[in-house]
């Protein structure tokens, strides 16, 4: 993917796998769907998330961290996300970032030295990746978040079937592909999105995205 190909495909829509899985759950598991999507369940979960983040993280404010908030504004504009956003830094030492989904609110938690090691365009790509999760889970009145929640809960039980585990694995892979595309769209380029992912994966301060893509193509050719 080049910068031109990213710009020529600005829409970020749920993948066919997401759509098909939601349709299947709605038709064949209506009782599970109704419970997982109930307002009471979602409200309780949202309140627990807010309290956990306030208790266990450092909340970033725009005055103290203007660079990350400027990048956040750019990423939100690029992906068409319009919601109040709160950013946090966790005490965890490993580089990463995660979106904690609450309908109508963006809550994004950084961990480790992520904000220190990413260049400006890589930070923009990271924010695009996490905001893509929000965009996906907000689509179709939150249907894709409900589907993800159903499989998270299913896998928490020891009696989960192999089919549940495989479906959850495929759902996670498709969701990360969707989010990776959000990273490239936010920065309108592929290289920073790749270098961001490699930095987060390895903890390195400097990476060569072209070399990593050659490595991936070599692996694909040998498959």
């Amino acid at each position: 993917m080049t910068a031109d190909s990213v710009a020529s495909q600005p829409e970020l829509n749920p993948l066919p796998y997401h759509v098909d899985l939601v349709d299947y759950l709605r038709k064949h598991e209506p009782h599970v769907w109704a419970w997982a999507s109930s307002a009471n369940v979602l409200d309780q979960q949202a309140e627990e998330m807010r309290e956990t983040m306030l208790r266990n993280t450092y909340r970033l404010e725009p005055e103290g961290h203007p660079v990350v908030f400027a990048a956040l504004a750019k990423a939100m504009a690029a992906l068409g996300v319009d919601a109040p956003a709160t950013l946090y830094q966790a005490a965890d030492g490993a580089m990463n970032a995660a979106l904690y989904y609450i309908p109508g609110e963006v809550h994004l938690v950084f961990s480790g030295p992520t904000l220190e090691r990413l260049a400006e365009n890589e930070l923009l790509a990271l924010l695009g990746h996490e905001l893509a999760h929000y965009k996906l889970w907000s689509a179709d009145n939150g249907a894709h978040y409900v589907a993800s929640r159903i499989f998270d809960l299913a896998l928490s039980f020891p009696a989960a079937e192999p089919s549940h585990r495989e479906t959850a694995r495929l759902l996670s892979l498709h969701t990360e592909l969707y989010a990776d595309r959000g990273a490239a769209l936010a920065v309108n380029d592929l290289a920073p999105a790749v270098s961001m992912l490699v930095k987060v994966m390895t903890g390195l301060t400097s990476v060569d995205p072209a070399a990593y893509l050659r490595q991936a193509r070599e692996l694909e050719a040998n498959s």
Side-chain angles (χ1 to χ4, degrees), residues 4-91:
D4 289 341
S5 66
V6 173
S8 67
Q9 298 178 346
E11 292 297 324
L12 189 59
N13 297 316
L15 300 177
Y17 188 87
H18 293 120
V19 176
D20 291 344
L21 183 58
V22 165
D23 287 345
Y24 179 89
L25 291 171
R26 280 173 163 163
K27 291 176 183 176
H28 298 281
E29 300 289 350
H31 299 297
V32 175
W33 185 269
W35 175 82
S37 58
S38 68
N40 289 338
V41 170
L42 294 176
D43 288 346
Q44 179 182 358
Q45 182 186 25
E47 194 57 37
E48 290 173 354
M49 281 186 183
R50 291 190 191 96
E51 182 176 349
T52 297
M53 286 184 285
L54 288 176
R55 187 182 302 277
N56 298 328
T57 70
Y58 161 66
R59 184 171 61 193
L60 306 180
E61 300 286 351
E63 294 77 11
H65 304 273
V67 173
V68 65
F69 277 91
L72 175 66
K74 290 181 182 179
M76 293 180 76
L79 297 185
V81 173
D82 183 13
T86 310
L87 306 182
Y88 310 83
Q89 174 67 41

Side-chain angles (χ1 to χ4, degrees), residues 172-195:
S172 177
L173 287 174
H174 283 82
T175 299
E176 289 306 312
L177 286 171
Y178 175 97
D180 288 344
R181 186 161 183 268
L185 288 171
V187 73
N188 197 30
D189 195 1
L190 179 61
V194 173
S195 60

Side-chain angles (χ1 to χ4, degrees), residues 24 32 51 66 88 91 111 113 120 138 157 163 176 180 214 222:
Y24 179 89
V32 175
E51 182 176 349
Y88 310 83
S111 57
E120 183 176 349
S138 299
F157 292 96
S163 60
E176 289 306 312
D180 288 344
R214 288 194 296 272
N222 293 333

Side-chain angles (χ1 to χ4, degrees), residues 71-134:
L72 175 66
K74 290 181 182 179
M76 293 180 76
L79 297 185
V81 173
D82 183 13
T86 310
L87 306 182
Y88 310 83
Q89 174 67 41
D92 190 300
M95 284 183 68
N96 210 343
L99 178 87
Y100 287 76
Y101 181 72
I102 296 176
E105 303 174 18
V106 173
H107 292 268
L108 211 168
V109 181
F110 300 99
S111 57
T114 303
L115 296 178
E116 299 173 1
R117 293 190 182 176
L118 295 183
E120 183 176 349
N121 58 357
E122 294 168 341
L123 175 60
L124 183 57
L126 174 66
L127 291 166
H129 179 103
E130 298 304 331
L131 289 171
H133 283 285
Y134 178 86

